[in-house]
Amino acid sequence: MREGGWSLLLEGKRMESQNITTTVTEFVLLGLTQNHKLQYCLYVIFLLIYVITWLLNFTIIATVAVDHQLHTPMYFLLANLALLDISDSSVNTPKLLSGLLSQHTVISFSECFLQMFFFHFIAGAMAFLLVGMTVDRCVAICEPLRYQSIMNWNMCTGLVAAAWFGGFLHSIVQIGFLLQLPFCGPNVLDNFYCDVPQVIKLACADTRMAELQMVFNNGGILITLFVILIISYVVILLKIRTCIRERKQKALSTCGTQITVVSLIFIPCIFTYAKPYKKYPRDKVASVVYTVVTPMLNPMIYTLRNTEMKKAIRRTLGKIIQSAGIQKPDRAVDPKPSNLVFP
């Protein structure tokens, strides 16, 4: 009788949880801060960052597309990273900017879930693409004679396709779990955009399984990719020990800055997603770093410090000026870029 009673009780609880339906039609975003003077100051700063992000990444994409000397595996991957940076900054930054001009922002239920889907889709694709870029550099320095045969067109497009597919798979699994939860109130999110940890806590059901899924799906992937990236950079650094002093110093500087940017992307994300959610005051700061700041830093670190890219931008600007009817003195054509790891 006792076992039968427990079975009936558990069945009743299960039926009761299934009868809970979603009644929330919109969410209220409290934004980044409630200080009005600080809001206007942050609006100007983040708008400037957003515009710079678009200009830098669009310049990279256009230059790689126009300049035939940059039709190499490394620049193909860098152009795809620039496209992801533009997409990543465009998912959440407009909502952040509009929220800074009002006390709170209202977002519909479907728009909130779409925002989370595209954010994790693009961010996941970017994380996988960064691994693909380190594969390209490791092949270039470990197998320089076989680089062209290994990093052919099929390999490059395969790496990019795998990155996008990995991001899509990661995001669709995450959103699929969230859509199974009922939301019947409250509907206030203490953030400037919809994200998985905060939305899970608003569900009117047991969220332990959803939180564990977030930890494994987000935190597990992030930690694994971060470890792979660090190991790849260690391999590169060990390989360049035999380089001449000038190239070694340049390579060390480049590796150091890239490791810094990778850390800025992954460490705040790991801090946010690799644990059952508990609100911390610095969570919003971490969100700003990997949603607003790093899409601007990526082109500066990965591409615009590159000598060949600077020359290509000058060549492209020169062609634009000449096509506009402004004559410029002729210059010697730059030689084709080599396949060095750090040109």
Side-chain angles (χ1 to χ4, degrees):
M1 291 294 292
R2 182 175 298 177
E3 291 181 0
W6 276 112
S7 299
L8 289 173
L9 180 61
L10 291 173
E11 182 66 19
K13 288 289 185 182
R14 187 181 66 83
M15 294 297 295
E16 182 181 349
S17 64
Q18 286 182 347
N19 290 331
I20 299 176
T21 58
T22 295
T23 57
V24 171
T25 59
E26 61 185 22
F27 293 99
V28 177
L29 302 174
L30 296 183
L32 196 59
T33 179
Q34 299 300 312
N35 187 320
H36 295 295
K37 291 182 179 179
L38 185 58
Q39 281 181 336
Y40 294 122
C41 180
L42 291 175
Y43 178 84
V44 174
I45 294 172
F46 292 139
L47 179 62
L48 185 61
I49 291 175
Y50 186 51
V51 172
I52 292 173
T53 299
W54 262 87
L55 288 175
L56 292 179
N57 286 290
F58 183 77
T59 300
I60 291 167
I61 296 171
T63 304
V64 172
V66 171
D67 198 307
H68 293 285
Q69 296 188 31
L70 298 184
H71 291 180
T72 60
M74 182 177 73
Y75 293 106
F76 173 72
L77 295 174
L78 287 171
N80 278 275
L81 179 63
L83 176 62
L84 285 170
D85 283 328
I86 289 176
S87 305
D88 188 29
S89 64
S90 299
V91 172
N92 296 324
T93 307
K95 209 68 179 177
L96 168 63
L97 294 173
S98 64
L100 289 171
L101 295 180
S102 59
Q103 289 187 341
H104 63 264
T105 304
V106 175
I107 184 171
S108 68
F109 183 88
S110 58
E111 187 183 353
C112 177
F113 274 74
L114 280 174
Q115 186 183 57
M116 285 190 292
F117 169 77
F118 282 110
F119 172 60
H120 284 271
F121 175 27
I122 295 166
M126 183 184 297
F128 286 112
L129 183 63
L130 289 174
V131 175
M133 290 169 61
T134 59
V135 170
D136 171 69
R137 294 300 86 203
C138 284
V139 172
I141 195 168
C142 297
E143 298 287 343
L145 299 179
R146 300 175 56 207
Y147 176 78
Q148 292 292 346
S149 61
I150 296 175
M151 294 303 300
N152 52 36
W153 177 251
N154 291 332
M155 182 66 171
C156 291
T157 53
L159 287 173
V160 173
W164 284 93
F165 178 74
F168 174 80
L169 189 63
H170 154 71
S171 184
I172 201 70
V173 169
Q174 182 72 79
I175 300 304
F177 267 88
L178 280 180
L179 286 173
Q180 295 178 13
L181 297 174
F183 296 90
C184 48
N187 66 335
V188 179
L189 294 170
D190 187 14
N191 208 340
F192 60 90
Y193 70 106
C194 287
D195 201 8
V196 175
Q198 293 87 10
V199 172
I200 284 179
K201 283 301 181 183
L202 295 183
C204 45
D206 188 359
T207 61
R208 283 177 293 181
M209 288 301 297
E211 289 188 48
L212 286 175
Q213 187 274 336
M214 179 193 73
V215 170
F216 285 111
N217 187 24
N218 289 282
I221 291 175
L222 286 167
I223 292 172
T224 302
L225 295 182
F226 185 58
V227 171
I228 292 173
L229 285 168
I230 296 300
I231 292 174
S232 301
Y233 280 116
V234 170
V235 171
I236 291 173
L237 289 172
L238 291 175
K239 274 288 184 179
I240 63 176
R241 288 184 303 173
T242 57
C243 294
I244 59 176
R245 184 173 180 180
E246 291 78 7
R247 284 185 58 196
K248 184 186 292 186
Q249 289 177 346
K250 185 176 181 180
L252 287 172
S253 173
T254 304
C255 268
T257 51
Q258 290 183 4
I259 290 172
T260 301
V261 172
V262 165
S263 300
L264 284 174
I265 296 172
F266 279 86
I267 292 177
C269 292
I270 291 171
F271 175 80
T272 302
Y273 299 108
K275 58 179 176 57
Y277 184 66
K278 190 176 290 186
K279 188 177 181 299
Y280 294 100
R282 54 185 176 272
D283 282 351
K284 289 184 182 180
V285 177
S287 299
V288 169
V289 171
Y290 58 75
T291 60
V292 181
V293 178
T294 53
M296 180 187 68
L297 292 179
N298 279 340
M300 293 181 178
I301 300 302
Y302 281 97
T303 310
L304 296 180
R305 296 176 78 249
N306 187 297
T307 304
E308 186 58 36
M309 176 58 75
K310 292 177 184 177
K311 292 179 181 179
I313 292 174
R314 294 192 198 103
R315 287 196 298 267
T316 304
L317 290 176
K319 291 177 183 178
I320 294 173
I321 293 172
Q322 286 181 0
S323 65
I326 303 174
Q327 296 296 326
K328 288 191 70 179
D330 293 335
R331 292 184 179 178
V333 179
D334 292 321
K336 289 186 178 181
S338 62
N339 289 317
L340 297 177
V341 179
F342 302 102

